[in-house]
Amino acid sequence: MQNSVLILDFGSQYTQLIARRVRELNIFCEIKPYNHLPEDLSDYKAVILSGSPHSVRSEPVLHPDLSQIRAKKPVLGVCYGAQYLAHFNGGEVAPSKIREYGRANLAFIEEDSKLFDGIPLNSQVWMSHSDTIKSLPDGVTKLASTDDVEFAAYRFEEESTYGIQFHPEVYHSKDGKKLLENFLVKIAGLSQSWTPNNFVDMTVQSLKEQLQGDKVVLGLSGGVDSSVAAILLHKAIGSNLHCIFVNNGLLRKNEFEQVLEQYEGMGLNVKGVDASARFLKALAGEEEPEKKRKIIGKVFIEVFDDEAHQISDVKWLGQGTIYPDVIESVSVTGGPSATIKSHHNVGGLPDFMKLKVVEPLKMLFKDEVRRVGASMNMEANLLGRHPFPGPGLGIRILGDITVEKVRMLQEVDAIFINGLKEWGLYDKVWQAGAMLLPVNSVGVMGDERTYEKCVALRAVESTDGMTADWVNLPYAFLQKTSNEIINKVKGVNRVVYDISSKPPATIEWE
């Protein structure tokens, strides 16, 4: 990667957004913790310092080693990054007298500034900080101000080092993407050549060199990530890729047969394994969510390992790991991150599998995976498929799992998802599903009292699942769906709709 951007992460909630905006400019970038810089910086043509929940005035200070960066590569400090560059070069950073959070407008822009080229006066920006820059170091020029923030942007006169107090990466900064483009293209001289076709060509060539014709086994899920990973590997090694699709008994209604049929038309070497009875037996009586996840993961590895051993000379395990999985597995401070729930891709393999791991998508965000798939002419209905959790319906059935509960939820889920498609709502939703709750409620059907299950419907909009908002589905749709579920699914007499956002809730209930 001779045309890359290095983003140093100081723990900001917006760091991934910086990366996304850079990628949208068709420029490749990587996020690294501020205290774990790559040893070789030669591929990076520019560096961006992220924001942070920390203060440059507090101990311990987050001190990156910029000795091989400053005055050698263009640098852009964002929020904390700007305060850091000012504070530790002779400027002053102090607590803000007023809360500087939310929308603001640029009241001053330095003429002939490359950073603000094409950005109008009064352009809206987004502030989010409790400290402010009171004075700039010597040899630093002010580039922009708002009514409340005098030093909203600045430049070191003897080097291509810039600082901005606002966040250009968020939607509310109307010309933020233009500013990033000015910095990366006009100042740092990067070319905008990071495209899906470019990624496919580069990745296939890299896979050929990495794998050297070895056999790879890959677990397909029917989802976007594993499918795109499979096509990339197939382009690199052809029939030496062996795909396994395991039915854990917790898939959607008829999904096992439908997915296998879909893969047949893609030219992949796929084996379907129905291990549903094995999974359901292992889960019998277990109610605790994290234990259910671990049981499902453990049995999957056992089944997968059994099947992999039937293929001779397998050297590699292919995985559909994507960039958010990688980022979240590395803490900014070097310590362990809090475990919200177990992830199925990051975390290594059991020692007994003895396989090396290959991850063709580990540098891509979810939307980039879809664009790469589209560039390889993959079917739109596969690329547009909603994310589905690795443990499947096992974490949408709250409490213990039985064959009857699975059947019930499969029927409910099918009515909900098919309804979204029929009403033209499916593609407007990022993820949708139904949860079977561990409670019974009283109802009346045919003048008789019932005491049956309650299901919760869930539909969210998101970009990558890191945050999500509930979707305001039409009342008429919810009414029709509720009636159809209660009338057609034996054992359900009540339907509710989940209107919780992430955070504080998660997308799944377990």
Side-chain angles (χ1 to χ4, degrees):
M1 294 287 182
Q2 297 290 319
N3 190 66
S4 300
V5 177
L6 174 63
I7 301 171
L8 295 186
D9 180 23
F10 293 87
S12 169
Q13 60 178 320
Y14 297 138
T15 303
Q16 280 202 42
L17 276 180
I18 298 175
R20 296 183 65 80
R21 296 295 174 260
V22 173
R23 297 278 186 92
E24 287 170 5
L25 292 168
N26 294 328
I27 296 172
F28 182 73
C29 64
E30 292 183 83
I31 298 173
K32 300 290 184 183
Y34 77 95
N35 55 351
H36 288 85
L37 275 70
E39 291 184 8
D40 184 3
L41 296 171
S42 59
D43 284 348
Y44 303 107
K45 295 184 69 174
V47 177
I48 298 176
L49 311 182
S50 84
S52 176
H54 301 274
S55 169
V56 296
R57 301 176 298 102
S58 302
E59 293 293 341
V61 175
L62 308 185
H63 263 305
D65 179 8
L66 301 180
S67 59
Q68 299 303 309
I69 295 173
R70 284 284 304 278
K72 298 176 182 178
K73 300 175 187 291
V75 176
L76 176 65
V78 175
C79 197
Y80 177 91
Q83 294 173 3
Y84 178 88
L85 291 170
H87 184 72
F88 290 103
N89 285 281
E92 181 188 358
V93 174
S96 304
K97 291 184 179 179
I98 62 171
R99 189 181 183 203
E100 295 172 352
Y101 180 84
R103 295 172 179 84
N105 296 93
L106 297 177
F108 162 79
I109 296 176
E110 174 70 22
E111 291 184 15
D112 302 323
S113 168
K114 287 185 179 180
L115 189 65
F116 288 90
D117 185 33
I119 296 175
L121 197 63
N122 293 320
S123 178
Q124 179 179 288
V125 295
W126 183 262
M127 297 288 184
S128 180
H129 55 272
S130 55
D131 286 347
T132 195
I133 300 169
K134 301 291 289 184
S135 65
L136 294 174
D138 293 337
V140 175
T141 300
K142 179 174 71 173
L143 296 182
S145 303
T146 68
D147 288 338
D148 295 320
V149 180
E150 181 178 2
F151 303 112
Y154 63 77
R155 177 179 66 86
F156 282 76
E157 295 168 4
E158 300 300 321
E159 55 188 270
S160 294
T161 297
Y162 295 78
I164 52 175
Q165 185 61 81
F166 55 90
H167 288 270
E169 67 273 22
V170 303
Y171 170 79
H172 304 292
S173 289
K174 297 300 184 183
D175 296 294
K177 190 173 178 180
K178 176 65 175 172
L179 184 143
L180 289 171
E181 184 175 21
N182 286 343
F183 172 70
L184 296 172
V185 178
K186 295 185 177 180
I187 294 170
L190 284 121
S191 63
Q192 294 173 278
S193 57
W194 173 252
T195 64
N197 288 334
N198 171 281
F199 174 82
V200 171
D201 294 342
M202 180 187 65
T203 301
V204 170
Q205 182 58 38
S206 175
L207 289 171
K208 287 179 178 179
E209 295 171 1
Q210 179 184 10
L211 301 175
Q212 295 293 308
D214 289 343
K215 288 183 180 179
V216 177
V217 62
L218 180 142
L220 288 172
S221 67
V224 177
D225 300 339
S226 66
S227 300
V228 173
I231 295 297
L232 286 168
L233 285 163
H234 181 72
K235 283 179 173 289
I237 60 173
S239 60
N240 278 345
L241 172 65
H242 295 261
C243 301
I244 298 172
F245 180 41
V246 177
N247 181 7
N248 58 12
L250 302 166
L251 301 175
R252 285 180 155 136
K253 183 179 179 180
N254 300 326
E255 187 172 29
F256 185 57
E257 296 78 14
Q258 290 170 356
V259 169
L260 282 175
E261 183 178 342
Q262 187 172 41
Y263 281 136
E264 282 181 11
M266 296 168 64
L268 297 175
N269 179 14
V270 182
K271 180 180 181 181
V273 180
D274 187 355
S276 52
R278 184 169 173 178
F279 279 88
L280 292 173
K281 181 180 179 181
L283 286 164
E286 183 57 64
E287 297 183 3
E288 205 280 318
E290 191 65 10
K291 288 182 180 178
K292 287 196 293 184
R293 284 176 174 269
K294 289 182 176 175
I295 289 170
I296 293 167
K298 178 177 180 292
V299 176
F300 176 83
I301 288 173
E302 292 171 354
V303 172
F304 193 84
D305 189 55
D306 290 345
E307 296 300 324
H309 272 96
Q310 296 180 35
I311 307 167
S312 61
D313 301 322
V314 172
K315 302 287 181 64
W316 299 82
L317 172 71
Q319 287 191 314
T321 310
I322 61 176
Y323 203 30
D325 300 329
V326 176
I327 295 169
E328 289 180 355
S329 69
V330 180
S331 169
V332 167
T333 58
S337 299
T339 299
I340 306 301
K341 57 183 72 169
S342 298
H343 284 274
H344 59 284
N345 275 344
V346 177
L349 295 170
D351 291 338
F352 65 79
M353 289 198 76
K354 306 297 182 186
L355 295 175
K356 294 178 285 186
V357 176
V358 55
E359 300 166 310
L361 307 177
K362 68 179 180 180
M363 298 310 296
L364 296 186
F365 289 102
K366 189 76 168 185
D367 55 326
E368 293 175 320
V369 174
R370 288 192 168 102
R371 289 200 292 272
V372 166
S375 75
M376 296 189 294
N377 298 315
M378 292 177 63
E379 292 184 15
N381 64 336
L382 174 57
L383 296 177
R385 184 178 186 265
H386 288 178
F388 189 64
L393 300 181
I395 57 169
R396 292 183 177 177
I397 298 172
L398 278 65
D400 69 319
I401 298 171
T402 66
V403 173
E404 176 58 18
K405 287 181 180 180
V406 172
R407 179 206 64 78
M408 198 181 303
L409 188 55
Q410 284 178 332
E411 295 292 337
V412 171
D413 179 84
I415 291 171
F416 185 32
I417 298 302
N418 290 337
L420 287 170
K421 292 177 180 178
E422 290 169 6
W423 281 60
L425 297 168
Y426 186 84
D427 292 335
K428 298 177 182 179
V429 171
W430 191 75
Q431 184 171 339
M435 320 296 161
L436 183 65
L437 307 188
V439 294
N440 284 25
S441 67
V442 174
V444 57
M445 300 177 74
D447 295 328
E448 293 184 2
R449 178 185 183 276
T450 62
Y451 192 57
E452 296 178 334
K453 291 295 183 185
C454 173
V455 294
L457 305 183
R458 180 89 159 125
V460 299
E461 53 187 3
S462 179
T463 302
D464 51 23
M466 301 298 294
T467 60
D469 289 322
W470 62 279
V471 178
N472 191 2
L473 294 174
Y475 285 153
F477 167 77
L478 291 173
Q479 181 183 44
K480 182 178 185 300
T481 302
S482 174
N483 288 341
E484 189 172 353
I485 289 170
I486 292 171
N487 287 332
K488 292 184 177 180
V489 182
K490 184 179 179 181
V492 175
N493 71 352
R494 190 176 299 271
V495 178
V496 299
Y497 186 55
D498 183 350
I499 57 170
S500 309
S501 295
K502 176 186 179 180
T506 53
I507 296 175
E508 301 295 340
W509 279 40
E510 288 194 340

